[in-house]
Amino acid sequence: MASSIVSVVRRVSLMRNPQSLYHFQFEIVNSRSFKRWVAPTLKIMKHRRKKAGPEPLRHRSVWLNWNYTAELYAFGRRLNETFRDETLRTALIHPSYLEQEEKQRQDLGVPSQAVSLKLEHNSGLVASGESLMNTYIKQYIRQAFPKVPEEGICEIWEYLVSVDVLSHVATHIGLSDIILCADFPPEKITLAKSLKAIIGALEFDQSKERAEYFIQDFVITQLSDKCIFDLWDIPNPMAVLQNILEKEGKDPAEPRLLWQAGSNTILALYYVGIYSNRKFLGKAPGETLAIAEEMAARDALSRIFGLTENHKPLPFGKQGRQLIINNNENNSSLSNWMLSKSI
Amino acid sequence: MNRPISTYKRVQQWAVFGRLWFLFDAKWQNPFDSAEKIAKYLAGKHKPIYHPLSDVGDHVVVINTKDIALPNKEWRYRMYYHHTGFAGGSSWTSAWELHNKDQTKVLWKAVYKACGGSLLRHNMMERLHLFPDDKIPQELMENISDHMKQLRPVPKALHEYTEEEIKNFPKVFEWPEDYVLN
């Protein structure tokens, strides 16, 4: 039988050709035969994969090259913080993990006194981290937004210390792989607690100041490019504005139609301005007069509270390090709020 | 509270993409030059957010199209060609004939041409509202928010001046008493 050489097209690079993004590189090479087994095999493999379902979610530590000590060290180095090994280990152990371990030992019939775990859980660190975070965040926001009433401060604070935000931060600094807890994948509340424990550990190992900077860098930064009025919903802004003006002894706010376009169309647009004694307070667009008026009142409030789009950026980084918090008093509440008092 | 878009940003976007309504008085205006200007507004080229693929144009309401002023001898020599598709079905209509049939047609065709060949042309033409005189339906009038400047000022005709104004108009010389005018 004569030996036959066939020409086959082979993909040269597994990656796409960087010069032309949409094309792979191919070349024609001589081969002994067409490999007719390849396509059917791939088909069967795909079918089996589909039948078996997706890969089960497994913890990173299931893989052989998992080195917990190295991970802990890397965690600190990534954040540019120095932790004591024992403190960091404690901060990452949740009570649920200890319970699980105890139960496992009991199930195996090991008496708890004989082989005690000698491990501490992180509840203490969580509590200290939480209290530090609560006080520092409020102080920081009061310093950053001196004109915002206490109600607003509380709403911003509530957003920052919410489980969603804290768990988001915790996941993205790489805590979800290294915490020890019973639930897998770790629940949001567990992640949030871990972050608090890390802050507590930092305060314990380093200093209160260092822990505060950590909060500033990782938690309060979640506030950047957020609209404060989205976090703090004022139900009836016009009434609030009238109330403020009344207390200032100024004329009541008067909404005026500035511009309008396409009133009889579905794309109607109204611009409403708010004036008090012919003095401009704020303006906003809207699809109906009512919406435009409400938004204009909101705009007037945002101007009064110093929360406009172009307000001074929050002090982070270098400015954040120079921030001296000297105000330990609450901002005045919305009912007592006065322009003269807040400045 | 996590909203998909901030309340302020939502109304801001509404304002950015809101369609304005412009009024244009075509009285004694060159329809071909006016068409260029109107097409610019219909396409939204006067806006900073303009992009050729985005439908961001405004509405234009044109009044007094019966009083358009064609340059030179255009009324007589501008021909509008049409072919019915059948043999011998071609026809040429001069601008004055077309204007007699429909007083908005000359400007409509001029704007249609000025809108260019993009796929958005028909949408743009939908936003053009032509009226032969200055009578606009009330509901349309309520939409209008602004007007476009005319390309050239409309001069005042002699019959629009009062008797007194004509009498007080400064004269270089007086006709002699016995001089017979006409």
Side-chain angles (χ1 to χ4, degrees):
Chain A
M1 202 171 75
S3 67
S4 59
I5 303 284
V6 292
S7 298
V8 294
V9 177
R10 182 191 289 164
R11 200 164 85 197
V12 179
S13 60
L14 285 174
M15 301 282 285
R16 276 179 175 164
N17 182 5
Q19 265 76 43
S20 61
L21 267 172
Y22 300 101
H23 300 287
F24 294 102
Q25 280 181 339
F26 293 98
E27 68 177 14
I28 296 170
V29 290
N30 288 334
S31 173
R32 233 164 220 266
S33 61
F34 291 114
K35 294 189 172 58
R36 295 191 62 186
W37 56 272
V38 173
T41 310
L42 288 176
K43 254 179 224 168
I44 289 171
M45 296 286 273
K46 189 175 180 190
H47 177 70
R48 284 184 190 172
R49 175 75 267 178
K50 206 174 166 188
K51 206 172 159 192
E55 195 77 18
L57 204 59
R58 281 174 288 174
H59 196 269
R60 179 63 180 79
S61 61
V62 171
W63 275 269
L64 207 62
N65 58 358
W66 176 251
N67 184 347
Y68 191 58
T69 319
E71 289 292 335
L72 288 188
Y73 179 72
F75 174 75
R77 303 308 295 173
R78 274 204 303 274
L79 302 177
N80 206 9
E81 303 285 0
T82 326
F83 293 98
R84 284 207 352 261
D85 192 47
E86 310 86 74
T87 331
L88 188 56
R89 278 177 191 274
T90 312
L92 295 172
I93 295 173
H94 284 269
S96 65
Y97 173 75
L98 290 189
E99 280 165 24
Q100 190 192 31
E101 288 290 301
E102 293 283 354
K103 192 168 173 294
Q104 225 165 35
R105 277 158 202 243
Q106 271 176 15
D107 291 350
L108 288 171
V110 182
S112 56
Q113 286 82 14
V115 192
S116 71
L117 271 169
K118 285 179 193 161
L119 285 175
E120 241 185 288
H121 58 74
N122 61 5
S123 298
L125 289 173
V126 171
S128 68
E130 191 174 1
S131 77
L132 179 72
M133 190 153 71
N134 287 351
T135 40
Y136 181 70
I137 287 179
K138 272 198 179 172
Q139 282 173 339
Y140 182 96
I141 308 169
R142 283 191 197 118
Q143 190 86 1
F145 302 114
K147 292 188 201 166
V148 174
E150 192 61 21
E151 283 89 340
I153 300 287
C154 286
E155 291 285 333
I156 300 168
W157 168 79
E158 215 164 85
Y159 167 75
L160 282 179
V161 298
S162 67
V163 172
D164 280 341
V165 170
L166 293 184
S167 62
H168 173 82
V169 173
T171 317
H172 286 87
I173 60 172
L175 268 175
S176 52
D177 274 346
I178 55 173
I179 55 176
L180 302 174
C181 58
D183 42 332
F184 181 79
E187 283 168 16
K188 279 185 171 182
I189 182 80
T190 319
L191 284 163
K193 275 186 181 168
S194 315
L195 186 70
K196 287 171 189 169
I198 290 296
I199 290 164
L202 207 55
E203 189 190 2
F204 183 73
D205 277 356
Q206 302 256 337
S207 65
K208 193 181 162 200
E209 194 189 26
R210 191 86 188 173
E212 285 175 348
Y213 289 155
F214 185 90
I215 297 169
Q216 196 188 96
D217 290 345
F218 290 100
V219 183
I220 304 178
T221 39
Q222 298 300 314
L223 211 56
S224 70
D225 87 345
K226 279 270 179 317
C227 179
I228 300 300
F229 276 140
D230 281 349
L231 310 178
W232 174 32
D233 194 28
I234 305 176
N236 190 354
M238 197 61 180
V240 174
L241 183 66
Q242 295 286 25
N243 196 17
I244 287 172
L245 289 173
E246 196 184 325
K247 236 175 286 139
E248 302 276 327
K250 287 180 181 166
D251 288 3
E254 175 198 349
R256 287 191 210 162
L257 183 61
L258 300 179
W259 312 290
Q260 62 175 354
S263 318
N264 292 331
T265 64
I266 197 167
L267 293 171
L269 170 68
Y270 300 92
Y271 242 100
V272 168
I274 289 196
Y275 293 80
S276 159
N277 190 20
R278 302 167 77 186
K279 224 185 134 200
F280 172 76
L281 293 178
K283 68 172 194 286
E287 61 266 46
T288 63
L289 277 171
I291 290 173
E293 191 187 320
E294 193 199 320
M295 291 312 295
R298 250 172 225 278
D299 186 48
L301 284 180
S302 74
R303 280 163 203 259
I304 290 173
F305 296 151
L307 291 175
T308 44
E309 287 272 282
N310 58 347
H311 74 78
K312 208 172 132 192
L314 292 169
F316 293 132
K318 207 184 255 180
Q319 280 93 27
R321 295 294 179 267
Q322 289 162 357
L323 188 76
I324 300 156
I325 291 172
N326 44 23
N327 179 19
N328 286 321
E329 284 177 19
N330 291 2
N331 287 7
S332 56
S333 73
L334 205 53
S335 49
N336 304 324
W337 196 89
M338 282 189 85
L339 197 61
S340 46
K341 223 193 269 179
S342 69
I343 296 168
Chain B
M1 197 190 316
N2 276 324
R3 290 207 182 96
I5 184 168
S6 123
T7 42
Y8 177 73
K9 286 275 163 66
R10 189 189 69 80
V11 287
Q12 192 188 33
Q13 179 165 344
W14 185 263
V16 167
F17 289 98
R19 295 201 193 276
L20 303 188
W21 286 65
F22 287 92
L23 184 70
F24 183 75
D25 188 357
K27 191 182 179 186
W28 294 14
Q29 303 298 309
N30 180 339
F32 312 113
D33 291 351
S34 308
E36 294 288 333
K37 185 169 180 173
I38 292 169
K40 208 175 99 176
Y41 279 72
L42 292 176
K45 284 186 185 178
H46 59 302
K47 298 181 177 186
I49 55 165
Y50 171 75
H51 186 271
L53 299 180
S54 331
D55 195 4
V56 291
D58 287 338
H59 289 259
V60 179
V61 180
V62 184
I63 55 169
N64 291 331
T65 55
K66 69 173 170 20
D67 295 328
I68 50 168
L70 265 67
N72 305 328
K73 294 177 179 174
E74 292 273 320
W75 280 122
R76 193 183 298 168
Y77 292 114
R78 178 170 285 261
M79 290 297 169
Y80 290 97
Y81 174 73
H82 177 70
H83 199 289
T84 60
F86 293 99
S90 57
S91 70
W92 287 265
T93 315
S94 58
W96 67 269
E97 276 178 309
L98 188 70
H99 196 65
N100 279 352
K101 279 180 183 138
D102 185 349
Q103 289 172 328
T104 58
K105 209 71 184 171
V106 172
L107 192 60
W108 191 92
K109 279 180 176 289
V111 176
Y112 187 80
K113 189 182 173 191
C115 280
S118 100
L119 286 175
L120 291 173
R121 169 152 75 177
H122 293 284
N123 298 19
M124 282 154 70
M125 290 307 290
E126 286 295 305
R127 271 180 254 124
L128 178 69
H129 312 273
L130 297 170
F131 294 96
D133 45 19
D134 56 359
K135 288 186 189 67
I136 309 175
Q138 183 57 25
E139 74 226 45
L140 218 61
M141 195 67 214
E142 282 163 10
N143 290 337
I144 291 169
S145 52
D146 205 350
H147 81 286
M148 282 159 62
K149 203 182 163 190
Q150 282 179 311
L151 290 173
R152 50 191 73 189
V154 179
K156 214 170 166 183
L158 190 58
H159 65 81
E160 284 165 10
Y161 287 93
T162 58
E163 202 64 45
E164 199 184 342
E165 276 176 325
I166 293 168
K167 217 163 97 182
N168 294 336
F169 197 79
K171 287 175 185 169
V172 180
F173 66 93
E174 282 290 341
W175 295 105
E177 284 291 320
D178 54 347
Y179 189 84
V180 180
L181 279 165
N182 299 331

